[in-house]
Amino acid sequence: MAEAMGVNLDTWQGWESGRRPLANVKAGTLLELRRRLLAFGADPHVLTLLDAAMDADRIISATIYAEGEQSAARHPLADWVHTRDTAHMIAWALNGTTPPALADRPTKPRKGPVAKAPLLPAPDRDTFFSRLRDTADSAVRAGEDGILLHRQALYLCSYDQTPEATSWMGHALHARRDLIAARGWTPHWAAARSTATALVRLGDSQPLSDFIDRAMVDDDTAEIANLNYWAYWLGAIREPQADDGFMREQPTDWEPVRLMRGLVSGLHQAPGYVDLYVHSLWALLKSHRWLPLADPRLAGRLTEDTDRLLDRGGISHRSRRELSSVHYVLGENRT
């Protein structure tokens, strides 16, 4: 492979083992590497994940080797809104969970002992989470300038399931519950949404339901922000974003079909968030009633999911009303 790629053998082995971060190579070298891999039959979709993988490396390295509160201002989580692909790459290194984009892809057996995942050693994982919690705390003290850093650091802290971390996470989240009580759009809307969804992971689903009622329903800006949030997270908005401000803008260049596909996939994968998925699908189909015609197979799958959810109990009255509306739109646009 080193010979085929035109690089030194030690360099190639360094990239494979992680001794040499790929993100440290020159831009021209990285571009040439991508082109050569593609020419040798590499999967184009996997190649696009190199960006997310390098972002994950940068976030992990910046956290492990952080020094003092001044490092928070330079932390990569303060510079841009990270994506689901990046979050999945970080989770791969922290808990060994294969990213969904790679989970169903066959791998060829290799000689000798080979790691099943790019899992960080336990001491490095402990250092990462400890310093990430410190980063989240310092971001709170930074006030308005630390909103994005705190929101994203807090989300990644939830990957640590140790009792001590869970206790810290619960305290940090409940300290921010005042954000959830705000009505409609505010500059802290995205942080409130993240807080409400993170509390679900701790077993408390009521704040998310309250957030939907207070900070989304009957507020056009907040409804747009929710769909933009999902669109960016699920890859329907492809342009990188420096902060959460883009969420309040009327969407002009994102892919509704891709967004619908992501929401339908998540509807049965994350039962704790069913209210959020249902409301988001309802809002998306309300503004894009033609979507079922764009992908009839996906619409059929959503119809089955909607029937299943309406037949069972355990969903809120709001979700039941919205599902009935979704069901009507799907039937109205059946081909």
Side-chain angles (χ1 to χ4, degrees):
M1 281 298 296
E3 182 178 352
M5 293 299 108
V7 299
N8 179 274
L9 176 60
D10 184 63
T11 297
W12 186 265
Q13 290 175 332
W15 289 341
E16 284 192 334
S17 66
R19 288 185 291 106
R20 294 173 179 259
L22 189 60
N24 288 355
V25 305
K26 295 180 179 179
T29 301
L30 180 60
L31 183 63
E32 179 67 17
L33 179 64
R34 289 176 185 269
R35 298 293 185 267
R36 284 178 176 264
L37 286 170
L38 188 63
F40 277 90
D43 188 324
H45 178 68
V46 175
L47 280 179
T48 64
L49 295 176
L50 278 175
D51 288 339
M54 289 189 291
D55 280 330
D57 279 349
R58 180 168 171 252
I59 291 168
I60 290 171
S61 297
T63 303
I64 290 177
Y65 301 110
E67 294 183 5
E69 287 201 13
Q70 288 187 348
S71 63
R74 300 188 300 272
H75 199 285
L77 289 175
D79 294 338
W80 66 291
V81 184
H82 77 259
T83 65
R84 180 179 63 165
D85 285 339
T86 298
H88 286 163
M89 289 293 175
I90 294 173
W92 201 12
L94 296 176
N95 57 32
T97 302
T98 304
L102 301 174
D104 297 328
R105 297 176 182 271
T107 57
K108 295 180 180 180
R110 297 173 61 184
K111 296 180 181 180
V114 179
K116 294 182 179 180
L119 193 64
L120 287 173
D124 285 347
R125 294 200 301 273
D126 292 342
T127 300
F128 174 83
F129 284 123
S130 175
R131 293 191 173 172
L132 191 64
R133 290 192 289 269
D134 291 342
T135 297
D137 287 337
S138 65
V140 172
R141 294 191 289 273
E144 297 294 317
D145 293 336
I147 292 176
L148 180 62
L149 175 59
H150 180 263
R151 177 175 77 77
Q152 300 195 125
L154 203 60
Y155 176 85
L156 294 178
C157 283
S158 68
Y159 289 159
D160 189 355
Q161 298 296 310
T162 61
E164 177 187 1
T166 301
S167 176
W168 178 91
M169 190 75 180
H171 175 76
L173 290 172
H174 284 285
R176 311 287 285 177
R177 288 181 72 121
D178 60 309
L179 299 179
I180 304 173
R183 293 193 174 275
W185 169 265
T186 73
H188 297 272
W189 185 92
R193 186 186 186 278
S194 291
T195 299
T197 54
L199 284 168
V200 174
R201 292 197 292 274
L202 296 183
D204 187 359
S205 60
Q206 190 59 45
L208 179 57
S209 180
D210 293 341
F211 177 77
I212 295 172
D213 284 335
R214 295 172 183 168
M216 288 173 60
V217 173
D218 296 330
D219 188 290
D220 291 342
T221 301
E223 294 285 16
I224 289 171
N226 180 56
L227 291 181
N228 282 339
Y229 193 119
W230 275 123
Y232 186 77
W233 184 249
L234 297 173
I237 294 177
R238 298 177 183 270
E239 297 78 13
Q241 303 294 331
D243 55 48
D244 292 331
F246 77 97
M247 295 180 191
R248 65 175 300 172
E249 302 297 328
Q250 186 72 36
T252 57
D253 191 24
W254 52 269
E255 306 164 39
V257 175
R258 188 182 182 96
L259 175 54
M260 180 179 172
R261 188 176 297 120
L263 291 173
V264 172
S265 296
L267 187 59
H268 64 88
Q269 294 174 352
Y273 301 93
V274 65
D275 282 351
L276 181 58
Y277 276 102
V278 167
H279 182 78
S280 301
L281 280 165
W282 168 82
L284 179 63
L285 289 172
K286 181 181 177 183
S287 58
H288 298 78
R289 299 181 74 88
W290 53 268
L291 269 177
L293 296 173
D295 192 333
R297 181 176 298 181
L298 181 63
R301 179 182 172 187
L302 180 55
T303 299
E304 294 176 359
D305 290 341
T306 300
D307 289 338
R308 174 177 52 82
L309 287 170
L310 287 172
D311 287 341
R312 80 177 197 191
I315 59 175
S316 67
H317 293 300
R318 181 192 59 251
S319 289
R320 187 168 292 278
R321 291 194 308 271
E322 291 171 347
L323 278 172
S324 296
S325 178
V326 167
H327 198 277
Y328 176 80
V329 173
L330 292 169
E332 182 183 45
N333 291 279
R334 196 184 304 275
T335 58

